[in-house]
Amino acid sequence: MTPAEVYTQLAAGDAARRTDFTLAKRRAVLAKLAAELRARESEIMAALAADLGKPPVEVRISEIIPILSEIRHTSKHLKRWAKPRRVWPTLSMLGTRGTIRPEPKGTVLIIAPWNYPLCLALGPLVSAIAAGNAAVIKPSELAPATSALIAQIAAAALPSDLVAVVEGGVEVSTELLAQPFDHIFFTGSPAVGRVVMAAAAKTLASVTLELGGKSPVILGSGANLQKAARMVAWGKFQNAGQTCIAPDHVYVPRGDQAAFTQALRAEIAKMYGATPETSRSFARLIGARHFTRLKGLLDEALAKGATLITGGVAEEAARYLAPTVLTDVPGEAALMREEIFGPVLPVIAYDDLETVLAEIEAGEKPLALYLFTKDRTLINRISAATTSGGVGVNVTLAHFLHLNLPFGGVGNSGLGAAHGRWGFAAFSHEKPILENRFAVLDPLMPPYTKMSARLAKAVQKLVG
């Protein structure tokens, strides 16, 4: 079927789903999806090894566990999230009863990226199903093995009138975006996010955009350099740096720069050995175009005077770029202006924290900001002085896994939030229902009399 035909088929069931797709049925669908994922672990690992060279443990941690956790958390709390909520009347609405009733938006579109192709396709699907929607999933064509597997999983575990997977390239995405979906959930680059939002505007679809940006790390004075180096190395080099919330660059007090970069070298060696190209724990780049872009950024930075601390080894045929750390990268280098999205980490020495904060605020709002310090005053100060999708203190990446926290960006890094009840809310319309019980409204209706004027004035005095 064409993308238009797929949309039409799913949308035809919207009215019936509003009454027939009960919470028990939604939980049953999610349980079947979880069982299918567990049954296909070896296939999932093989697909992600083919697409990204992901180690099995990394697949389990970053692809399978997040989806299963989302299913378990959602199933546990779904009854409470979906329950109509009573609200108190305001003074001017005394005598009325207000209720908020979550209802499904209808038929939704999920466009997934290539870097975490399973997790970022099926994670949003969990929220969409929980909220009672039908969904079309468009996996990334750049991760073909995983895309094909997602289609197989959906066919085996999910009702065909509820979930459809449409594979293909840009032309398929374009045709899907032309359909009048009720909500679009997109994960990818800010540039493509603008295209998605423009397309959504034509049909007035609501959107959730999970984008990216240059997520900075700030080391405060007195930070534990060894622990910070280990956490930064893990956050930066997992999935070969192809993570939307990976540390993009590190600000370190000038007096700590040498010790921190030395600690980074040691942690990289612990994680990936002296020759990371032979490590079974280090992933590969997605493709030749991405390799060429990253190699160009690295070469330009070195040509402009950057200092290579470790790494720099590149093998195009193997889609391999070593975990690389640089210092002295000039500000005009493209590496400092573009989101890196790969295993290259600039370390920037600073003398004045206020200058660092001003530099961060002058740029686009990042998806994440990381801070390493034990100083509570500094934590509060930096959190208040900067704007980002989320903040990690003495940790990287892990806030993505915390289902009692919203995950999302702000400005250039995204729009809306996902995970847990925020994911349920993203795919729901919170419908307000107001019942008149004994509200005094008649005297406020035309024809206006002196009594109407006195009553309106009394209400104004009461509320103002």
Side-chain angles (χ1 to χ4, degrees):
M1 289 192 293
T2 67
E5 290 169 338
V6 171
Y7 165 79
T8 301
Q9 178 174 297
L10 291 187
D14 281 351
R17 274 190 295 271
R18 291 182 186 279
T19 54
D20 297 343
F21 198 22
T22 63
L23 299 187
K25 289 180 179 179
R26 298 176 201 180
R27 287 197 192 95
V29 170
L30 294 178
K32 194 166 183 182
L33 175 59
E36 192 70 18
L37 290 172
R38 288 191 290 267
R40 291 178 178 260
E41 279 186 3
S42 60
E43 294 173 66
I44 291 170
M45 290 175 179
L48 285 156
D51 288 333
L52 284 151
K54 284 196 181 187
V57 173
E58 198 163 290
V59 172
R60 195 178 298 280
I61 292 170
S62 65
E63 300 275 4
I64 299 174
I65 289 176
I67 305 171
L68 294 178
S69 296
E70 191 83 55
I71 291 173
R72 178 172 181 168
H73 182 81
T74 297
S75 298
K76 178 180 178 181
H77 296 286
L78 182 56
K79 183 178 180 180
R80 177 165 57 87
W81 296 344
K83 184 178 180 180
R85 307 191 304 277
R86 288 280 303 277
V87 296
W88 286 99
T90 58
L91 285 173
S92 61
M93 286 287 101
L94 289 174
T96 66
R97 172 185 291 164
T99 306
I100 298 173
R101 180 183 294 274
E103 64 179 21
K105 287 187 173 179
T107 301
V108 304
L109 172 62
I110 298 168
I111 302 178
W114 52 261
N115 57 328
Y116 291 86
L118 186 79
C119 174
L120 297 180
L122 299 186
L125 179 66
V126 173
S127 298
I129 291 173
N133 301 279
V136 174
I137 303 173
K138 166 57 180 70
S140 173
E141 71 279 11
L142 298 180
T146 309
S147 177
L149 183 58
I150 290 170
Q152 294 168 25
I153 289 170
L158 304 171
S160 60
D161 61 348
L162 184 67
V163 177
V165 177
V166 178
E167 296 186 86
V170 174
E171 69 288 347
V172 170
S173 296
T174 301
E175 189 173 348
L176 284 170
L177 288 170
Q179 309 310 312
F181 284 97
D182 298 291
H183 187 80
I184 301 172
F185 192 109
F186 169 79
T187 305
S189 70
V192 180
R194 292 183 179 91
V195 174
V196 170
M197 198 165 185
K202 294 178 181 178
T203 61
L204 295 181
S206 57
V207 297
T208 302
L209 303 177
E210 299 288 0
L211 307 178
K214 294 182 71 63
S215 297
V217 179
I218 302 173
L219 268 62
S221 58
N224 185 313
L225 299 183
Q226 188 276 325
K227 289 184 178 180
R230 184 162 185 77
M231 191 63 70
V232 168
W234 174 64
K236 178 62 177 180
F237 300 116
Q238 177 175 288
N239 200 31
Q242 300 165 118
T243 304
C244 59
I245 52 172
D248 186 271
H249 50 286
V250 182
Y251 294 101
V252 58
R254 190 170 302 278
D256 292 332
Q257 185 185 40
F260 178 69
T261 53
Q262 183 177 355
L264 265 178
R265 290 183 63 180
E267 292 302 330
I268 291 169
K270 282 183 186 177
M271 292 179 178
Y272 306 113
T275 55
E277 62 269 30
T278 63
S279 172
R280 295 184 178 180
S281 299
F282 189 69
R284 293 299 184 263
L285 302 178
I286 188 65
R289 186 176 65 178
H290 197 50
F291 174 91
T292 301
R293 186 188 73 86
L294 285 167
K295 185 67 164 55
L297 292 176
L298 175 59
D299 290 346
E300 186 217 22
L302 291 171
K304 288 181 178 292
T307 300
L308 180 66
I309 300 299
T310 189
V313 178
E315 298 176 7
E316 183 174 5
R319 295 178 289 147
Y320 170 77
L321 181 59
T324 299
V325 177
L326 303 173
T327 59
D328 309 315
V329 182
E332 67 271 16
L335 200 66
M336 300 306 300
R337 292 182 280 106
E338 299 179 15
E339 181 181 6
I340 297 171
F341 217 70
V344 181
L345 181 66
V347 176
I348 307 161
Y350 73 86
D351 300 301
D352 176 34
L353 182 59
E354 291 303 322
T355 302
V356 170
L357 298 181
E359 185 173 308
I360 291 171
E361 282 300 281
E364 298 283 8
K365 298 176 177 64
L367 186 53
L369 182 146
Y370 300 112
L371 170 62
F372 288 85
T373 182
K374 295 295 185 182
D375 186 336
R376 174 56 54 182
T377 300
L378 185 60
I379 293 170
N380 293 335
R381 175 186 168 198
I382 292 177
S383 297
T386 58
T387 302
S388 59
V391 176
V393 180
N394 298 317
V395 70
T396 60
L397 304 189
H399 64 288
F400 179 88
L401 301 173
H402 199 310
L403 297 177
N404 284 324
L405 289 174
F407 179 83
V410 57
N412 194 66
S413 60
L415 176 66
H419 298 178
R421 71 177 181 88
W422 290 273
F424 176 85
F427 288 101
S428 299
H429 167 56
E430 294 201 326
K431 182 166 66 179
I433 301 171
L434 184 68
E435 302 174 51
N436 182 14
R437 302 174 68 201
F438 49 84
V440 183
L441 297 176
D442 284 356
L444 298 175
M445 298 177 186
Y448 299 125
T449 64
K450 290 182 179 180
M451 176 63 73
S452 301
R454 286 196 295 269
L455 183 57
K457 191 172 183 179
V459 172
Q460 180 180 324
K461 186 175 180 180
L462 182 67
V463 301

